[in-house]
């Protein structure tokens, strides 16, 4: 005889109810998980936000906005070429013009400031220099793809060397926060004079050396005035002898650099 009637055939087992979760405990768990998610989200957002601001600030500090350097027009290009090739005739100031944007001071673009650096003229001058080098090689019967490629490499080496010289000068004086593209632009202006020198070599071979000396003097004056009024003005320390030393070094380098670049010869 079965003594447990609850397990007799035909009878169902009574359902076992799980222990109920108190609403108060559920609220605590929900609040805790929400606090953790919110804290982690805020912390992560702070990390990524500060990292993004750091990257953007360093990019704007050292590289600036590339589009800024191409905001030019015909009027600016004509006047800038006059300043580069005839710097002693420039009667205006050499300092850059600032404007207030969003409560912060920034420099006006080249289209509104003749003293602002641009990359349009350096790139066009460099391309013209390579083309003129090819013409000179062809007229002398030394043209070959290898010879033209060598002139291209020489130009790039000269451009980079000039930019590094300007950057090292600023770093040595404690003013290394100038955008790198400023240095690239100022160094690239050398090729405007280079084009004149190569044209003189092609058309006026007997006056070539006089033209090169003239171009060297003009580029030296232009870079010295630009570095003195525009770039050295932002250095953190002032040492008159150091300034003069670096300015003299920059001016002196123009002579061997331009003579070397204007010497168009085959391999």
């Amino acid at each position: 005889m079965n003594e447990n009637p609850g397990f007799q055939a035909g009878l169902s087992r009574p359902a076992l109810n799980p222990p109920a979760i108190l609403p108060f405990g559920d609220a605590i768990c929900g609040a805790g998980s929400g606090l953790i998610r919110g804290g982690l989200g805020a912390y992560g957002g702070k990390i990524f936000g500060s990292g993004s601001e750091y990257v953007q600030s360093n990019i704007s500090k050292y590289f600036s906005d590339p589009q800024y350097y191409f905001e030019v027009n015909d009027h600016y290009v004509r006047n800038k070429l006059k300043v580069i090739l005839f710097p002693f005739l420039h009667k205006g100031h050499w300092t850059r013009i600032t404007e207030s944007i969003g409560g912060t001071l920034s420099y006006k673009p080249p289209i509104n400031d003749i003293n602002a650096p641009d990359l349009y003229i350096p790139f066009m001058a460099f391309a013209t220099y390579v083309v003129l080098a090819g013409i000179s090689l062809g007229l002398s019967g030394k043209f070959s793809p290898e010879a033209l490629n060598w002139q291209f490499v020489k130009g790039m080496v000269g451009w980079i060397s000039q930019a590094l010289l300007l950057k090292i000068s600023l770093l040595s004086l404690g003013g290394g926060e100038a955008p790198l593209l400023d240095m690239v632009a100022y160094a690239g202006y050398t090729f405007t004079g280079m084009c004149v020198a190569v044209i003189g070599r092609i058309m006026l071979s007997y006056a070539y050396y006089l033209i090169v000396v003239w171009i060297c003097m003009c580029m030296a004056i232009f870079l010295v005035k630009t570095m003195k009024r525009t770039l050295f003005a932002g250095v953190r320390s002032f040492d008159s002898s150091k300034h003069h030393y670096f300015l003299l070094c920059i001016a002196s380098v123009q002579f061997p650099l331009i003579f070397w670049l204007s010497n168009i010869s085959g391999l």
Side-chain angles (χ1 to χ4, degrees):
M1 184 176 179
N2 193 353
E3 296 181 356
N4 190 355
F7 291 94
Q8 295 178 0
L11 297 178
S12 60
R13 183 189 297 269
L16 298 177
N17 295 326
I21 298 177
L22 296 177
F24 181 72
D26 194 10
I28 292 178
C29 293
S33 62
L35 182 62
I36 293 174
R37 288 196 301 268
L40 290 176
Y43 185 69
K46 184 178 180 180
I47 292 177
F48 287 110
S50 60
S52 176
E53 291 177 0
Y54 177 80
V55 172
Q56 291 178 1
S57 63
N58 278 274
I59 290 176
S60 61
K61 181 188 295 184
Y62 297 109
F63 292 97
S64 190
D65 179 16
Q67 185 177 357
Y68 166 90
Y69 297 90
F70 292 94
E71 295 183 23
V72 300
N73 56 13
D74 294 340
H75 179 73
Y76 167 83
V77 172
R78 286 194 300 268
N79 290 332
K80 190 71 171 186
L81 290 176
K82 292 178 184 178
V83 174
I84 296 171
L85 298 177
F86 305 97
F88 46 84
L89 296 179
H90 182 54
K91 302 301 182 182
H93 59 82
W94 290 83
T95 56
R96 296 172 64 178
I97 303 174
T98 59
E99 60 181 349
S100 179
I101 299 178
T104 59
L105 289 178
S106 62
Y107 291 114
K108 286 190 174 183
I111 194 173
N112 297 323
D113 183 10
I114 189 64
N115 295 317
D118 73 282
L119 287 174
Y120 174 81
I121 293 177
F123 278 126
M124 295 300 294
F126 181 78
T128 305
Y129 162 76
V130 175
V131 172
L132 290 174
I135 295 174
S136 178
L137 289 171
L139 293 175
S140 62
K142 300 178 182 179
F143 180 83
S144 67
E146 292 78 13
L148 186 60
N149 182 65
W150 169 239
Q151 292 301 138
F152 176 85
V153 172
K154 280 178 62 176
M156 290 301 300
V157 170
W159 195 345
I160 294 172
S161 300
Q162 183 93 295
L164 288 177
L165 173 64
L166 299 181
K167 188 65 176 177
I168 291 173
S169 299
L170 287 179
L171 288 173
S172 301
L173 295 173
E177 296 183 356
L180 180 61
L181 291 182
D182 281 13
M183 307 297 103
V184 175
Y186 289 124
Y189 289 136
T190 303
F191 291 99
T192 58
M194 288 300 311
C195 292
V196 177
V198 176
I199 292 174
R201 186 182 184 89
I202 294 173
M203 302 181 64
L204 303 170
S205 58
Y206 57 90
Y208 163 71
Y209 292 102
L210 292 177
I211 295 175
V212 171
V213 171
W214 172 267
I215 294 300
C216 291
M217 292 178 60
C218 290
M219 289 308 306
I221 294 173
F222 171 77
L223 286 178
V224 165
K225 286 185 174 292
T226 299
M227 294 291 290
K228 184 177 180 180
R229 301 296 183 185
T230 303
L231 300 179
F232 283 1
V235 299
R236 291 187 291 269
S237 61
F238 182 81
D239 186 342
S240 178
S241 60
K242 247 186 169 181
H243 279 63
H244 293 159
Y245 173 78
F246 282 112
L247 289 174
L248 179 61
C249 179
I250 291 170
S252 301
V253 166
Q254 304 311 307
F255 289 86
L257 178 64
I258 292 178
F259 267 102
W260 179 59
L261 293 177
S262 62
N263 183 21
I264 310 298
S265 59
L267 294 175

